[in-house]
Amino acid sequence: MGTQNTSIHGEWSSRLAFILAATGSAVGLGNIWKFPWLAGENGGGAFVIVYLLCIALIGLPVIMAEVMLGKRGRSSPINSMKILAKEAGRTQWWQALGWTGVIAGFLILSFYSVIAGWALAYIPRLASGMFAAVGDLSTTKEVTDFVSTRFNELTGNPERLLAWHTLFMIVTVTMVAGGVQGGLERAVRWMMPALFIVLLVLVGYAMSTPKFMDGVHFMFNIDFHKLFYPNGDEFSGAGVLAAMGQAFFSLSLGMGAIMVYGAYLPKHASIAQTTTAVVIADTLVAILAGLIIFPIVFTNGLEPGAGPGLVFETLPIAFGQMPYGTFMGTLFFVLLALAAWSSAISLLEPAVAWLVETGKFTRPIAAIGCGVAVWLVGFLTIFSFNIWSDVKPLSMFSVDKTFFDLIDYLTSNIMLPLGGLFIAIFVGWLMKKQIVTEELESSPDSLGYRVWHFLLCYVTPLGVGLVFLNAIGVFS
Ligand code: TRP
């Protein structure tokens, strides 16, 4: 057991195919929608620095560990953990890591699909030239009002959100039903470079706005006071937790998505190199997104802390003003939707792979079953933006959060970091060193291995632990 050579679900055709698929999973709404929103809400520079530190010191070691678990287990996360726990002579309870991952994946996809629906909805909006009208408005107030009214018309309408959410889920389920290797590989190969080029063009536009440097300054000016004291002089660790949660979310870590992709990795592929490439690409896209959004925010007198609508209330301004904006804008939202799809399938794959392994379901049936469950949970997010925007289920504990806020918080800030923590403990402390070095194809004496092992064994558990304690206010 555990040394099986291939998974029953197939395999990536090459190392590059794995890099493309894992990048497809990592790069998505997290980079372009969530990162600017969170950075804006948490004061900018200090949040960005903490985020980057979390990526380097926690994200990179954990992504290597998670891919390694998959590559060794060759199965869905639930069965991989079962096999590996047995191999390491540990309790079968380690399977629970696979189960909580499946739940986290369902919860994340339930809101991810709704937001991806926003991106879909913006494709016909841009293509029809809706935002070209921005060019004729005279004051920035008129411009920002126009764009935010369009956004609220969409989110305020549950039927419309439901229609786009449904469309997004149908396509996601269809792709997962076909097996994730085939089409994904071909699609991501041209999509990622295209997305990158469009982002560079948009950075060019952002540089032409009068407040470009204000945006840069906001993103890189390190002011820890803003992060720890968002409301004046009351300490809060929430911003640091959000930065760490975002590192996990953006790299698709802690719930088995990257593990199941690792299970389809060809036997001889360097984990260290491939994962490093994925991490660099993911981080670059997030930084570019920030460099585009914040100059637009300051040039138009908007609020960086505008919340989850930030991207949708800023980018259309750019498309309304720049040359070829209708074309660029349409292309951008098409690419964003594609990037969201290549992420969404990795959220569903762990559960579907497990159902197929039970031998009771075909892949299409498993994918449809999971898809319907996620689709239903999605209603909670849809209503959070309109008819239930005042429903705060935990208000009796003075938690001022909608269903969407709660699901997002529970998954990104709690479930994913905990998943990462347990992955680090399992790989760092419980697996046999010989197996780990064999899978990583590395010598236990090499410097790279020793640094990785140290980060995984000490820095990750301590980091996650401290950030949790900090967030519940133990250090205030
Ligand atoms: N990383 C993706 C993004 O940034 C979202 C995602 C895909 C994800 N798979 C995941 C997040 C697994 C957490 C866990 O958009």
Side-chain angles (χ1 to χ4, degrees), residues 25-26 28-31 108 112 249-250 252-253 255 257 343 346-347 416:
S25 167
L29 297 171
N31 308 61
I108 293 173
Y112 203 83
F249 186 90
S250 193
S252 303
L253 286 183
M255 56 76 54
S343 300
S346 73
L347 286 161
L416 299 180

Side-chain angles (χ1 to χ4, degrees), residues 9 24 77 147 164 166 244 264 268 311 348 390 416 420 424 464 466:
H9 310 286
V147 174
W164 293 112
T166 307
M244 184 178 75
Y264 311 149
H268 293 287
V311 173
L348 214 49
D390 291 326
L416 299 180
V464 174
L466 287 178

